[in-house]
Amino acid sequence: MERFALVIAAVVALLVPCGARAEQPVTVVDDPSVLAALDAKGFSFAAVFSVDGKDDLKTLYDEAPAYHAIVEMVAGDVAGLRAEMKAGGRNLYEVTDGNVGRIMDMRWLKTDAARFRLVGVVNRLDRRDFATLNGDKSCGEVRFIYRLAYSFRKNGKVLASRLPFNFNAVYSVAPDADGGCVGVAGRWTPQLDEAVDAGWLAGGPLEPEELTFKQLELNAQVVRFPSGQETEFGGQAAYLMRIFGIGGATVSEKPLENTPDVARLSEDAVLKKKLADYVRANVGPVDLGVYEMPDEFRAKKVISWSTFGSARQANHPFTSLFEPTDFAGLDYSGLKLARTPEALVERLDNGACQGCHQAGSAAGFHFIGRDDRTTSPLNRIEVGISPHLHAEIPRREAWLRATIEGKEPNRFRPFSFAPPAEWRDAGEVAYAPAEMAMPCLMPEDAARFGQTWQCGGGTVCTPLATASGVRTKLAQCLLPKDSKAVFSGHPCLAGSIASNEAQPFNDRYTITGQFAAFASDISRTAYTCRPPKIGVPAGIAYRACDDKDRTFAAFKAGKPMPNLRTGRRQEVRYLRGDQQFRPVPRRRRQSRQPAGLLGGPFLPRGLYVPVAAAGHAGRSQGEGHRLLLADLFHLPDAHRQPRNALGERGTRHHGYGFRSGARGVADIRRLAGGAVPRRQRPGPRAPVPR
């Protein structure tokens, strides 16, 4: 695929479904049909709590004491955050149509209209590197990811969607009879005549007898400030992160991996010094990325923050605790990544939960999961993974191959915002050049580290945000200033964040400059910079459709996709209220890979996607188009919710600027320039929980 198409296709491209091909180890299973079959075979969320039969959340809340306890603990966390924000001048509302703060309505976790749907299975046998730190003989982990989804009937129609609220059920994997992992790793590699389906998985790598429950992890967007309120930030969101141990009806709080309890350590000088001593004594493992801080230092819950998450001070817990001088005098010469005290602190920050999940992520998640057919096609997420996970898959595949072959795997873990790389058994890493809109390190920042990467494809490393209290800038590989190759979707604004260490929700972003799309007004020939208040942090370059755009002149049924980087760009742009849409061409069955834009701070709110594929030869061009809406920077969240499901009056907002019924169809046809054929017109769409 052309690089330009990769950037524009941020929410369309993804890995090959199920993450596998013949004779390649399976690392990710994300096919909704396979996962639905696994869900029915005993791998449901209810099964985690040993509940059979109905799996709606009212049943689970009533019949599973452990789930009930978890809901109440999360409700307490959300209530506490709400009180803290109210004291800081930020009011929050469960149900609102206004430009005000929204908070998770906890009734979603105990209604018969909702369930946790299995959206992914992840092979983490490479986590054996961490297990061995504590003498654990298991062969790493397998993770089952469940996402909160609702479905209910109104006026004879099924309304269904999903919320950015994920549980991750983690299982340890039993070793081979000889204590090794060669056979275990081999079971994840399908043979030429084998399909990666539910039967193959359940009878092979997911054999229940080989899995032992370890813990249940939570990552949930619980608060959101819309872009209409945060007009320069382009919106904010807060994510609750926790780990629960489950023993029958008993639930325990487990510490988060390598994530310090900043509040407690800040108040205990002796404990803080002890943590600094631990870091100094383990600088090698920290640099490698394979280490485990003792429990006494670790937090049991944290909140991560976006927008511009990798630049936010609250997502840099070690930076808040230590100065680089605290780690001066160490020998950094033999380290792969951290060559200075500043780099060591940044390495520690990125290894913490909030640091990892706000750098190289998609809306605070690394695995969102693809939507199944119960979700309206007008509200369906097409990309289910983050840029970090996309870049991670080759590393995990290399680890599995080395293990299967009886070799020592490369154990190095890169930054979560690093691009894909070639992984070699000898421990070497060869990074690919960062593509358009992928994260990069500014030269003054890169100088602190060992091996890093460069921007490719004619892009230059461009800072988008700096933050007080944070040493490393948020930067991305973008076109040079005044480039003639600018396109719709390219960011155009830079700014600075005034950090509020005690109240991150009161961080303030100020636009400090513009570096692209200088046209003063919207036109069909020049690009203007649309502001963050329409929901596009760092702004977004935009131009109106011309006649060729409206007819998709460069897309021919049965012909290859046109060269979008050097040829005539077929971009559809549509502005309505505070929403932004733009198109992404893709060929059916084309391998999907998320571009760096997926984790960038300037994602559009939706995409109009023309599908030009050989399979459509002989059919009208309009039939080869479909509308996909995805908000991967701020996921459609639980703050503008379909109140019918919770026993309240109906909502009149259907999200993303579309109205219901015939007027909604008219909106869509106007967006498409008449490209949606009548027999494919969508009817009223499910209310989007926002």
Side-chain angles (χ1 to χ4, degrees), residues 125 128 132 137-140 173-187 210 399 403-404 406:
L125 299 192
R128 191 186 198 200
T132 56
K137 302 299 184 182
S138 68
C139 289
V173 183
D176 298 334
D178 63 0
C181 297
V182 175
V184 173
R187 287 201 296 273
E210 304 298 324
W399 193 99
T403 300
I404 292 169

Side-chain angles (χ1 to χ4, degrees), residues 431-496:
Y431 291 108
E435 297 276 357
M436 178 77 73
M438 286 183 176
C440 56
L441 291 167
M442 294 297 292
E444 61 270 25
D445 294 329
R448 304 174 186 144
F449 299 91
Q451 184 182 7
T452 56
W453 59 91
Q454 303 296 320
C455 291
T459 64
V460 295
C461 195
T462 305
L464 290 180
T466 59
S468 59
V470 177
R471 301 179 189 91
T472 303
K473 301 178 183 67
L474 168 61
Q476 292 184 331
C477 297
L478 302 174
L479 292 170
K481 186 176 182 180
D482 300 324
S483 171
K484 302 298 183 183
V486 68
F487 53 87
S488 286
H490 195 283
C492 47
L493 299 172
S496 62

Side-chain angles (χ1 to χ4, degrees), residues 366-436:
H366 289 308
F367 200 113
I368 305 167
R370 294 161 57 194
D371 290 316
D372 62 13
R373 294 183 179 276
T374 64
T375 300
S376 166
L378 303 184
N379 188 34
R380 190 173 294 168
I381 282 180
E382 187 74 4
V383 168
I385 66 171
S386 71
H388 165 60
L389 180 51
H390 167 62
E392 261 279 282
I393 287 173
R395 185 194 68 78
R396 297 177 189 177
E397 288 177 340
W399 193 99
L400 289 166
R401 284 194 298 269
T403 300
I404 292 169
E405 296 168 4
K407 300 177 181 178
E408 183 70 13
N410 187 338
R411 303 184 191 280
F412 176 71
R413 266 71 174 173
F415 280 132
S416 67
F417 55 86
E422 180 182 344
W423 294 88
R424 299 161 184 165
D425 296 339
E428 299 176 3
V429 179
Y431 291 108
E435 297 276 357
M436 178 77 73

